[in-house]
Amino acid sequence: EADEERVLYDLSTKADVPRAIPLPKRLHVPVMDFNSGDEVGTFHLSEKTFGCDPVRVDILQRVVVWQRNKKRGKRNAGARTKTISEVSGSGRKVRNQKGGGVARAGHSRPAHWRGGAKAHGPKGNIQDYTTKLNKKVRRMGMRHALSQKLLEGNLVITNDMASNTHKTKVLDEMLNRFDVSGKYGVTALMVDDAQAKEGSEDEAFVHGGVNVNLKVASGNLHKIKVQNQIACNVYDMLKYKKLFLSLEAVRALEARLEK
């Protein structure tokens, strides 16, 4: 028994590590039906937009910082507090220097006294937190964020995002087929570019490039965000786990980001 070889590590029991599909095979993705969750075809994505390899994390960081600074914007427009020389109050010494058993005080306007001045308050200057980032870098960040979602396997291409009803329950059941929303589902960003022809019946169901029923039904789902492709940004794509793109949104993003 002592001479028997002991197996310290068996490769057969090693967990299978998921690996990304290599390029260019990765760009050939299935097209899913939004209502039923079934595969209805395939689509070949543009390598310039969805095939960035390796993904530049530094570019994503720069774009996210720029977005957050822009949202922070300008603050304290005109806010100004009074200093000791400006606040109302006498300069008379309020009590004797010694013998009272309390701290010495020269006047009644120090910052730590009630009715006194404000220490280090705003001086009326506008605080501008916005930073500059070139448009080419912003577009590059969009391309790398889309490539990252495809690399992770969290990119879902749908034929459209038209919902037949505005009921939240129906939309929640549809998204459960993609393991999205619900109690244990993941978060998702849904990007569409719906276009309705003038005078057609679909014109009343499209507003701002998004299906109206989908927008209304997703209002009560806190794990879902629906937006038009023109509002798609790096911060939202990194914040939400899965990214849903309609075929119209894919074509619009490729045309916009490959200029």
Side-chain angles (χ1 to χ4, degrees):
E1 297 179 358
D3 297 336
E4 292 182 359
E5 296 182 358
R6 294 187 302 167
V7 179
L8 300 178
Y9 187 77
D10 189 3
L11 293 177
S12 62
T13 59
K14 182 180 178 181
D16 188 18
V17 179
R19 291 178 172 82
I21 303 174
L23 292 171
K25 187 178 179 181
R26 188 192 311 164
L27 301 173
H28 199 71
V29 295
V31 178
M32 312 300 293
D33 184 74
F34 182 68
N35 293 280
S36 64
D38 300 329
E39 182 178 344
V40 294
T42 57
F43 188 80
H44 192 78
L45 301 172
S46 173
E47 186 174 1
K48 293 182 180 180
T49 305
F50 294 89
C52 298
D53 192 26
V55 176
R56 294 281 301 275
V57 182
D58 58 321
I59 297 296
L60 298 178
Q61 187 267 348
R62 289 178 61 186
V63 178
V64 169
V65 169
W66 170 78
Q67 278 189 241
R68 291 176 65 85
N69 290 342
K70 185 178 181 181
K71 186 176 182 180
R72 195 176 184 186
K74 299 179 180 180
R75 298 183 181 181
N76 286 349
R80 185 179 181 276
T81 56
K82 292 183 178 181
T83 61
I84 285 182
S85 63
E86 297 169 334
V87 73
S88 177
S90 174
R92 180 182 65 88
K93 188 171 177 62
V94 294
R95 55 176 174 254
N96 294 334
Q97 178 77 357
K98 300 174 72 67
V102 291
R104 54 194 173 188
H107 55 81
S108 61
R109 296 165 296 161
H112 62 286
W113 277 31
R114 179 178 176 271
K118 175 67 177 177
H120 310 295
K123 303 303 180 184
N125 300 324
I126 298 177
Q127 300 176 358
D128 189 3
Y129 297 97
T130 58
T131 55
K132 180 184 176 183
L133 190 64
N134 292 338
K135 188 179 293 186
K136 289 184 179 181
V137 181
R138 284 181 261 161
R139 288 177 179 171
M140 186 189 301
M142 285 286 296
R143 292 193 294 267
H144 281 269
L146 292 170
S147 301
Q148 176 64 24
K149 285 299 178 183
L150 179 61
L151 179 66
E152 296 172 354
N154 290 325
L155 180 64
V156 180
I157 307 297
T158 62
N159 54 350
D160 58 16
M161 291 188 184
S163 179
N164 298 325
T165 178
H166 64 279
K167 294 293 184 179
T168 304
K169 181 179 180 180
V170 177
L171 178 62
D172 192 44
E173 293 175 352
M174 292 162 53
L175 294 175
N176 285 337
R177 303 187 182 101
F178 299 98
D179 297 329
V180 176
S181 186
K183 186 176 181 180
Y184 303 102
V186 299
T187 58
L189 175 65
M190 311 183 71
V191 182
D192 195 8
D193 191 37
Q195 302 292 336
K197 298 180 180 179
E198 295 184 2
S200 62
E201 298 179 355
D202 298 335
E203 186 177 5
F205 294 96
V206 176
H207 178 72
V210 177
N211 183 266
V212 175
N213 287 336
L214 177 63
K215 188 70 175 179
V216 173
S218 63
N220 292 329
L221 300 176
H222 66 279
K223 293 185 177 181
I224 305 300
K225 184 174 183 178
V226 179
Q227 59 185 199
N228 183 256
Q229 60 86 20
I230 202 67
C232 186
N233 58 85
V234 175
Y235 181 78
D236 284 339
M237 283 193 283
L238 298 180
K239 179 181 178 181
Y240 292 87
K241 181 72 174 178
K242 287 193 175 183
L243 176 62
F244 283 73
L245 295 178
S246 64
L247 290 177
E248 292 82 3
V250 171
R251 297 186 183 97
L253 287 171
E254 291 178 349
R256 181 160 61 92
L257 298 177
E258 294 180 7
K259 289 182 180 179

